[in-house]
Structures are given as C-alpha cells and as structure tokens.
Amino acid sequence: MSNAVSALQGKSAVGFATVTEAGLQGMITLRGDLKSAKLKKAVKSAAGVDVPAARRITLKSGRGAGWMSPDELLILVPYAEARATVEALSKALADDHHLVADVSDARAMFRIKGDKADQVLAKLCPVDLKTLADGELRRTRAAQVAAALWQSDKGEFTLVSFRSVADYVFGALELSARSGSELSAS
Amino acid sequence: MSTRLPKGGRLIDRTKPLNFTFNGRRMQGYQGDTLASALLGADQMLLGRSFKYHRPRGLVASGAEEPNALVGLGTGSRFEPNQRVTTTELFEGASAASQNHWPSLEFDVGAINNTFGRFLPGGFYYKTFMFPRFAWKHVFEPVIRQSAGLGKVPQDRDADRYEYAYGFADLVVVGGGVAGLAAALQAGKEGKRVLLIEQTAHWGGRAPVDGVEIDGRPAEDWVKATVEALGKMANVTLRTRTMASGLYDHGYLLAYERIGDHTPGDGRPRHRLWRIRAGHVVTATGAIERPLSFAGNDIPGVMLAGAVRDYVVNWAVSPGDRTVVVTNNDDAYRTALALTEAGLIVAAVVDARASVTGALPDAVRAKGIRVLEGRGIAKVKGTKRVTGVSICAQAGEGAEIEEIDCDAIAMSGGWSPVVHLWSHCGGKLIWDDARAMFRPDAAKPPTGDDGMSMVTAVGSANGALTADEVLADVAKQMGGKAAKTNSVAEAALEPVWIMPQGAGPQLKMKMWLDYQNDVKVSDVQLAAREGYHSVEHTKRYTTLGMATDQGKLSNINGLAVLSDALSQAIPQTGTTTFRPPYTPISMGAIAGEARGDIFQPLRKTPMDEWHGANGAYFEPVGLWRRTYCYQRPGEGVHEAVNREILNAREKVGMLDASTLGKLIVKGPDAGRFLDMLYTGVMSTLPVGKCRYGLMCNENGFLSDDGVVVRLSEDTWLCHTTSGGADRIHGWMEDWLQCEWWDWKVYTANVTEEYAQIAVAGPNARKVLEKLGGMDVSAEGLPAMEWREGVLGGCRARVYRISFSGELSYEIAVPASEGLALWKALIAAGEEFGVMPYGTEAMHIMRAEKGFIMIGDETDGTVIPQDLNLNWAISKKKADYLGKRAQERSHMASPDRWKLVGLETLDGSVLPDGVYAVADGVNANGQRNVQGRVTSTYYSPTLKKGIAMGLVKHGPDRMGEVIDFPADGGKVFKAKIVDQVFYDKEGAKQNV
C-alpha cells in the first residue's frame, strides 16, 4: 500500500484553467438493487450518503456515491479505506445478489480549476456544461476515451478516466486549457 | 487600372498599413482589408489561371462565392494552397502566390489549351482516354495528374494547432446581416438561448453597402446598436469568423471558426470546429449574385455588380476608372450610383430589359449616365484585362451596335438565395418565376427528430430582395415588428441566361458558366445534345459546379442553360444536391486536437515508463503499448528476443502481462452463465483453482481464450486476451441484458485495476521466495492454483499458471503498486539472473510449447476442434455458445484443416501465412492447397525454425513432408510433426 502511486503522480499544467491529476482516490464499483433497503443502508454506512438519484453524485467530506447506471453505483472513499469499505459492503450485502469491486487503481482522476474550467471540457466532451446541474454526474467521453465528470466546486470540475489513458487525457486537457484558446470571455 | 481611392472605405483603417507580398512582389494594404481588396488596391487584377484552359483570371466576387482568386498562402509549415483571397483577412507579412501556371502568371505555357479549346469540349476526358485501355494507366493518367490540380501540396508539418468545441443552443442564427441580427434580437428578447454566427469578421452583411436606412438611420448605426444590444443579453452568444459548414440530422450543426488565420503565429488555435446541437436553426445566409453569360465574361475586370460596390464602399478600392454596368435588374443600378459617388466614371448601364423605369434607373439617369435599354454585351475586348465592350441588341445574335471603352464591367444576372443549409438535410426548394430564383419551400422544410421543421429561412436567404422585404420576412417568421427602411420599389428582373439570346456557337464558346472548372454554355448544350438530361449527370459530364467553389456562381445559370437546351422548365430540371461543407474547411480543423502525442489514446501499463527507460522496443497491441523486446546497447531486435528466451528457459524472466483482460463475473447464476460462454465447464472449478477456457461465438468459431479463476463460491475472474477485454465484456453484457436478463449475474471489467507480472523460469520460485511474504512452494501453491497475500510488501494475488512452459507465477497487484513490485522483482531477481522479456519472447515460448494464440491460430473461421482442443470442450453440457454450430456437417467434417507442428527439413524458418500446395488445380486454374502456416518462428531454444499450421488431415499424416511455395519461386519442404516442440511431458513447469 505504501508503494501505491497514482498514474501521473499529481502532474499539473496551468493555462486559462489549471489541470491537475488528483492523485489516489478510493473508488468502488457497486452493482445491485439500488432500491433495496439493505443496499441503501450499506451505502449510507460506507459512503456516508444516501443512494443518489439517477445521474447524480453526492459527496460529503471526501466520501460519497455516484449513480452510474440503473444497477451500478460508484462509491468514493479515501484511497486508504477502499479495501476495508469493499469488505464492509460485501459483508453487509452478503445475502443479496450484488457485486463489489475495488477499482481505485483502475482509474485516473483530474481536477480542472478556474472560472473558465467548463470551456476546457467543452472542447473534449459533448456535454452542455451550462445546463449541467449541481451534483450531476455525467458519463461521457473526453475526446476519444470514456470519462465521467461532475462539478466538484465553484469553478472546479472533476473528471475520471481509465488509468491506462491518463497521459492521453492529461495531454488533451492541457492542450484545451492553453491560454489564448478560451472559447469566450466568460 | 484598379486602385485605392483617396478617401472612404468603411472597413479599412488607413492609419494601420500592412505589408504583404504577391508572387514575391511587395505590396501594401490596410488593416481591415481582405487579401482581395488589398491586391485590387495595388492594381493586381490578374490573380490566377483557370484549371483547364489556363485562362487569365481575376476577381469576380468579394466573398465566399469567389471562384477564381485562389492562392497559395504562407510559407513552409504555414503554407496552404487554394486560399480564397476574398475571405482571407490581410495581415502583416502575408505571402501569397498565384496557382496553376508555368512558368509564370503573366506568361503561361498551359494557355495553349485555350487556343485548342475547341478540341477540349465537355466530356473530353471520357471520350479521349477510353482506348487503348492500357494507355490510361501508363500514359494519360500520369500526364493529366502532372498538369491537373489547383495549388501545391504543403511539404512541411502544419505548425498550427486546431481544436473542437461542443456547442448547445435553442436557436442558432446563421448569418450576421440585418436579417440575422433582427432574428437573433427577437429570439433573444424571448429569452431563448441564441447563438448567432457570421462567417466574416463584420456584422451587417450587405445593408451598409447598399445604402439601406433602418428606422431613419444608416444601416451601419442600426447594426452597431443591435450588436450592442445582443452583446448585453446573457442568453445570446455572438461569434464572427464562424461559418456554418453543414447541417445534419436532428439539428446537428457543424461550424468552422477561423480564430487565428489573420494572426498567424500568435499561439492561438488556428481553426476550431464547432459541433453544435441546435434546437432550431435560422438561416439568414443572404443571397449570391449571378453572373451573366456573355462572351468573354471571364476576362479580368469583369466582376459582379455587388462585388464592385463592395470594393468601392467597404475598402475604397476602384476596380476600374471606366465601368460598364450590365444587368437584367434594378439592383445593379446601385453599383452605378456607388461608382459615381466615389468619383468614378460609369460609361453606360447596359440593361437587357426593353424598357427601364423606376426610382433606381431614374437616379442613375439623373447623374447623366447613359442607360441602354434592350441591349446586351456581344463580347468583351481584352485578354488579361478588359479594354472595352461591344454592345448588341439582347434580342439579336450579337451584331455590334457600338463599342464602349472601359476597364471594368459590373454584371448582375439577379440574386440566388443561399439555400445550402436549408437543403443539406432535405429541405426542398421552389422555383420563383417572378424573381427567377430557387428559394426554400416553407411547406417542405428539413425536419427534426419530432417530424417538425428544424430550419427557418429568413431574409434574402428566403428570397426577399429589398431591405423592407427582408425585415418584414423576419418579423413574419420570428415575431416582433418590422423596422421601417428606405427601400424603394424595384421593377421585376427579366431572366437572362444567354447574352444576347440568339448568340451563335462562336460566342457561346466564350461564355463561361463555371469559371474554376472552365465550363461554358457550349459545353452544357453539348451535354444536352449528347443525351445528358439529368442535371446530376450533366454536372459530372461537364464538371459544372464540381470545383472547390461548388458552383456557387454557376449552378443556376448552368441548369437554366440546360433547361433551355432540353426545352423544359427550370423546376423540371431541378438543382444538383447541396452538400456540406458550404466552403472548404481545413483538414486540421477536421482532425481537431488529434495529432502528435494525442493523435490516438495510447494505453500504458503502470510499468510503461520503466520499460521505456530500459531499452523497450514497443509494439501496439490494440490501443496498448507493449514491449516487444528490451534491447541492450548495440543489440538487434532478434538478438534481444533470443537472449530473453534463453534466459527465461535457463534462469528466469519477467513479463509485463498487465494488459490481459480481467473480468469479474459474480452471482447465483454466474456458474451457469460461464458454462454457456465457455466450451468447458467452469461451474465445477473449485475455489482457489484456475482452468483454461475457450469462448466461441454463436457460429462456433473460436473468439477468445484465457484462464478462468474461481475466487469464491459465487465469483469468478475471467482472463481474456489483451485485445479482447472490452469486446468480451461487451459480449457478456449483451447476453445478460438482451437474452438472459433474468439470470442473476453481475460483471465488472477490472482489467486496469491490476498490474500483472509473469515470473517464469527455473529460478522463478527463488525470486519470489526472496521477496518473501507468501508460501510459493510446490506444495503451498500447486500448479493451476492461486493464493492471496502480501508479496514483497505489495497486496498480491499469485496464480501458478504458465504460458511459457516454465515454472511460472503470475502476480496481480493493484495497478498503483505495479511499478513497485516490478522494481522489487528486478532487484530480488538479480542474483538469479532475472531479465525482463517482451511479447515476442512470450509468443515464441508459447509456440515452442504448442500453445495457440488467438489471432494467429484463429482468424474467425477456426473452431476449437480444428486446433485439437477437444479436451477443453465439454461433452456433457447440454449447450454452450457455438455448440450447435459446431455440429453442422461442415464443422464436423473430418476434412477440415487441423493444427499440426511443422518443421522444415533444413531447419530454416517458414514464411508466415504461406500455403501448402496439393496436387492439381481448382476451377480457376489455381494450384490446390491443403494447409497453411499460422505461426512461425526461429526457436533459440531448439536452434531451428518451428511452425504451427492447419493442414488437411494433418494429425493423421505425422512425418509426411509437404511443400510450401514462397515468394521468389522458393519451395519450403516441411515435415508434419507434433505441435509441442518443447517439454511435451510438462516436467519443466511442474516443479
């Protein structure tokens, strides 16, 4: 565990927005019946939040859950707690049909910060960022690869991709954030 | 002479002169000039040569419709051919060069084609180059390719960058003239999310040039105020230099923004391609003026009337001192007035209409300008420049009435609405006889996903001609109240397709329809005589409208001439198809950000950087980058591969196997599900053990293979091939979601969660033991089993599986710890002689062991039985995917080619993919074949070539020698042998 390093180890680039690889993040895939009381309880206990509505993500002090599909959630916890959380979820759901998998190391996470952070993403993702709701988790693509994104703060977006393409995603974000290529003044 | 006027020019800033060169000559223009206005202002009328006859050509238009004035722009890494000077904004240091001539623009050898023009009629190529057949490829085509083509191909890598952007709007208004501005204003007031785009750098379109007044003030003021008002609306976005290139299904609009064309090298992207989801599109794209077809209408100095006043009013450039205006409508009289206003001479207005009255002609007459009624131009005098015109009766055959000296001609044949976007997605047109134009048919618009209209055409794009009509049309369709303008009544135009109407062949051979492709009235008439009745066929036969301008000036004139030749009405002939892009867009914009390092996603394993730093010679595997071998200084690829193999066989090797697909399958029905997917039985696999499995598609063909691991009572981990992970995951989900939706099974693709390292060789156990933390002894971890623990400080799952035939462990750790484990293994293995090996060593070692490889031994036509893999196919199971297919007669035939080993008699390496020949020939006279090579390598272990192949009745023919003819007449003789070349009893891996 002490050997663990993220894909780009915090690499960062500054343009009209700042792009940073966000380091290690605990992520767990949970598949099951999202309506079951037992699952709701397990999620609350593991992630500290309720099961999110369709296409929503709920985050509270570094933990949370995102809706990925009608039977899949993405549980977010600190990296060091991922294994224990997997075990806790597995135990809680042992009697029900479900699947829990640690995917913390399968992903790379990026933060895009700045007043015009949305303009960086608007060049790579076919998403209407102006109408992206608060707490909306959007599964989409970033240029040629799969991605998921949400607005994680005012003037900040978080984007998740697969780990193997971290270099590619960072390259595309860095290029799109270069000064002088703003889409508009605001 | 064309020249810069001493004052005026609403778009230029005389305090900011800009230097540029044309064919190496230094010239000067001003900020706000287009390259066209700057060239014209510097008296450069001759700008290029035509495509076929190499005729001297100058500017005809002032905008996107310009067919002639294309140049090579820039130098080196910023050179681009075919740049339209009318849409190129001038910038300091611009360097332009004319095209399609040799040796020079002024003296062009190719112009001899002009002299022999009558031997190059429409369809010339089709008629001439048919026979003899061989000559096309060897004689005609090379010569034509040498002489054809406008512009040179760039030689350097493009220095600029490009990007995409995704846009969304309720309403996209295309065109920033008064119609577009008024439409956007109305929609903006209604609170709609509006995007207004304009292809030029300026708002307002033609209205300021045409002297329009709106609400009692000059159009320019109204435009400025409206743009300001729009700029203050948070729901409205304005974007200049952005051309709507194409409209596609469901309101998907492509727009091309030229960000940095006028500021090259400033670090901004050059172009941006917008991919816009538009709720609705308003086309306010205006109209394009039509040329008149008279003899010599392509001689430099003959321009569109609207363009002439654009140059005078916008850029204070006079195309000539003495201009003759020739027209069939009232609008062209505005040009006469603009010229007079600028102090230039209008020698006469030649009007094809028999009687001309109305406000505009009266205003012209009041200036003392002669208006010749019922007259036409018989021919233009001059070659590289207009020197005069010969006037005739429009009703006659071209007999000269008088000659008028002039150095410019402003022509107008009426206006054609720009209906391109309307038509791209199926909007229909109607022929408006009174206005002699095709305009959008509001009853048949392009429809969106809801079956409703997705485009509204407004203003001139909808056929409106005067400012009053334009604003009234916008108000009618968009809502709101139309502003008042100073429009005066204009008399109807009279359609004129040939001037004079009775012109003979001599004149018609010099009447240009398509300037860029050199198509004349006579060519279209010839096509009609030769039986080309469809406008689409005529277009292709004559090349009318097929040049880079896509017939913006020539289409309507051409089809009118065709209709006349066929004695049918114009709507009966119809138009050719309007296709995107509206004007050419750059290849860079189409590529967007995808170039250089991010041309394509490159998947990298957690240990990729280490590989790169240690001599990795990479190869692509799917989108993955994998190490083929690790080269040492001075070592060739093959030596490296051989070294890696011998080291793994004698000591110990390490392979980065992280790319292997890893799919978790879990649930009460998971065992049943896997028994359907695999040919073997996976449900009986005990927890803690591994089993090799094969997957087939419904047609029985082998699709993927890999080791399946039982993780717990209801959980399996399926390894797939590196290239197959996503495909097999999709395959699983397909069956679960569409066919067996009631089975309780969940899957997850955890391929990237784990770094996986194979440690293989006699010393493998010693290395792992030195690392410590887990019992990896023969008893503690027997073959085809797995254990979890902490190995060398990393959270590991260790599988005892071997693809090399050696004692082998595959260690999976979280990807984040992959590099740490790799380095730890390298360090721990040092004393045991560890070396990393790449994919080629892996391939050769598996071939030495006779293991199949998906994609080598399989090609989508091979079933497991062909590969003697019957041991991996359950006979007990009622069903599995592919089972029924494999029972069909052809699949069960004993005559199918089957897998065997092959060994050349002389130890050489068989070429890959070669076929074994059999006696006799087939129905096509080809040699019969009886087998082919699927894998072939030099085995450093055995010091000879080894191969596997599929051979008819192969397993029954051990020891037989068959022939493999290869390139160059060489025949390889190979003996059929067992496919396992190395350690058949498996003693090496079971220690």
Side-chain angles (χ1 to χ4, degrees), chain B residues 36 194 213-214 283 304 387 524 769 982 984:
Chain B
V194 179
E213 287 176 12
I214 303 172
T283 60
L304 293 169
T387 57
V524 172
E769 279 171 347
Y982 176 77
K984 185 163 174 71

Side-chain angles (χ1 to χ4, degrees), chain A residues 1 4-5 31-32 79 97-98 102-106 122-123 127-128 141 144 163-164 167 180-181 183, chain B residues 163-164 166 168 193 239 268 272 599 603-604 666 733 744-747 752-753 795 815-817 820:
Chain A
M1 188 104 127
V5 291
R31 295 190 67 179
Y79 184 78
H97 172 42
H98 76 285
D102 188 351
V103 291
S104 312
D105 309 277
K123 297 179 188 185
V127 174
D128 186 358
R141 64 178 173 81
Q144 299 175 55
R163 180 187 178 108
S164 67
D167 264 340
S181 67
L183 295 180
Chain B
E163 63 186 26
Y164 290 151
Y166 296 89
F168 300 83
R193 189 173 168 191
R239 221 167 258 290
R268 296 189 300 165
R272 181 181 290 140
F599 168 63
R603 299 178 75 181
K604 296 176 182 174
K666 181 175 186 293
E733 283 295 329
K744 288 187 169 169
V745 181
Y746 284 128
T747 70
E752 297 214 10
E753 172 64 16
R795 299 165 291 175
S816 306
E817 297 180 50

Side-chain angles (χ1 to χ4, degrees), chain B residues 679-701:
Chain B
T679 59
V681 183
M682 294 302 167
S683 55
T684 59
L685 180 65
V687 173
K689 295 207 171 184
C690 311
R691 185 173 285 166
Y692 176 71
L694 304 169
M695 267 192 230
C696 297
N697 61 19
E698 316 92 304
N699 300 317
F701 297 117

